[in-house]
Amino acid sequence: AHKQAVRAGLYERLAREAEVVQINESMHLSQINQFFVDLSLSCSEDPALEKSLPSSINSLRETLEKPAAAAFAQASTTTSRLQNDIVNALKAGWQGIIAEEEAHDPVSGYGLDMLLDASAVPELAPLGCAPGKWALEVDGPSHFLKVGDRRQPTRSTLLKRTHLQRLGYTLVSVPYWDWDKIRREGLDVKLQYLEDKLRNPL
């Protein structure tokens, strides 16, 4: 009960902050959508939490949930040269492994660089990977912050990963600096790297 109260209080505070956002700014609406995604996942995982939420949150959901989801879904995406190179290597190595490019999760609205078909190469599919839930993300420079000599995922990237994993996805991440090291190598080197990644998801 205490844990539910703490979580409900946190959501209420976030809701108050969201109320002061100018709702015609699509970037802010996209961020608010992540708040609603987290809230919905938490309520699904803990049904008692739904009953403990203050009325202010339900009011906010009625006002902003749909426009926030629409703004999130309409966010523009571009396919990078890096992503195209990885797509080409995957197709050359394992025919049929890419089930869908530039996919979207129907629940959260998150974009996925590609969904992989585990039935095409079952020997590479991670153990316990659910059908239609094996995703590969090509993470460029905007997904990371440099902290000293290390690169760390941004909060937005970490939140996306967490939400998708809670939604049942098995995630594979290819960071840009890894691929830069082998970009000019032959196909066999690229496929070996990708095989290691596919066998060891996040």
Side-chain angles (χ1 to χ4, degrees):
H2 174 70
K3 183 178 179 180
Q4 291 167 2
V6 170
R7 292 172 74 182
L10 174 61
Y11 283 125
E12 183 177 25
R13 188 179 70 183
L14 291 171
R16 286 199 302 269
E17 293 177 0
E19 283 181 315
V20 303
V21 170
Q22 294 295 320
I23 66 171
N24 61 341
E25 296 183 28
S26 60
M27 184 179 71
H28 289 149
L29 279 175
S30 294
Q31 293 170 343
I32 291 172
N33 181 71
Q34 289 183 305
F35 162 75
F36 286 130
V37 169
D38 196 89
L39 176 62
S40 295
L41 286 170
S42 295
C43 289
S44 296
E45 294 160 357
D46 182 7
L49 176 63
E50 182 92 47
K51 298 177 182 178
S52 65
L53 293 174
S55 59
S56 59
I57 291 184
N58 293 324
S59 176
L60 187 69
R61 291 172 88 170
E62 292 176 4
T63 305
L64 286 181
E65 190 165 21
K66 287 184 177 179
F72 195 73
Q74 292 171 6
S76 60
T77 58
T78 57
T79 302
S80 65
R81 184 176 64 179
L82 168 65
Q83 183 173 329
N84 285 331
D85 194 23
I86 293 171
V87 166
N88 291 336
L90 285 168
K91 288 180 176 178
W94 301 285
Q95 187 175 11
I97 190 173
I98 299 178
E100 185 179 356
E101 294 180 52
E102 301 299 344
H104 282 84
D105 173 66
V107 175
S108 65
Y110 280 117
L112 299 160
D113 290 337
M114 59 196 88
L115 285 176
L116 306 180
D117 183 358
S119 66
V121 278
E123 68 275 13
L124 294 182
L127 188 65
C129 178
K133 294 284 191 174
W134 192 19
L136 188 147
E137 289 280 88
V138 180
D139 290 330
S142 64
H143 291 270
F144 298 93
L145 296 172
K146 194 162 185 183
V147 181
D149 295 331
R150 296 181 300 166
R151 298 179 183 90
Q152 295 183 349
T154 63
R155 290 183 180 180
S156 179
T157 297
L158 287 174
L159 185 60
K160 177 181 180 180
R161 289 177 181 177
T162 300
H163 285 163
L164 289 173
Q165 287 170 332
R166 290 167 71 185
L167 285 163
Y169 286 90
T170 298
L171 298 179
V172 176
S173 170
V174 177
Y176 70 95
W177 66 85
D178 272 3
W179 198 257
D180 282 347
K181 293 177 184 177
I182 62 172
R183 186 167 55 87
R184 299 184 184 278
E185 299 288 344
L187 180 61
D188 57 336
V189 174
K190 293 178 178 179
L191 291 179
Q192 183 59 60
Y193 169 83
L194 289 170
E195 180 174 340
D196 290 343
K197 280 289 182 179
L198 295 175
R199 291 184 185 277
N200 298 281
L202 294 175

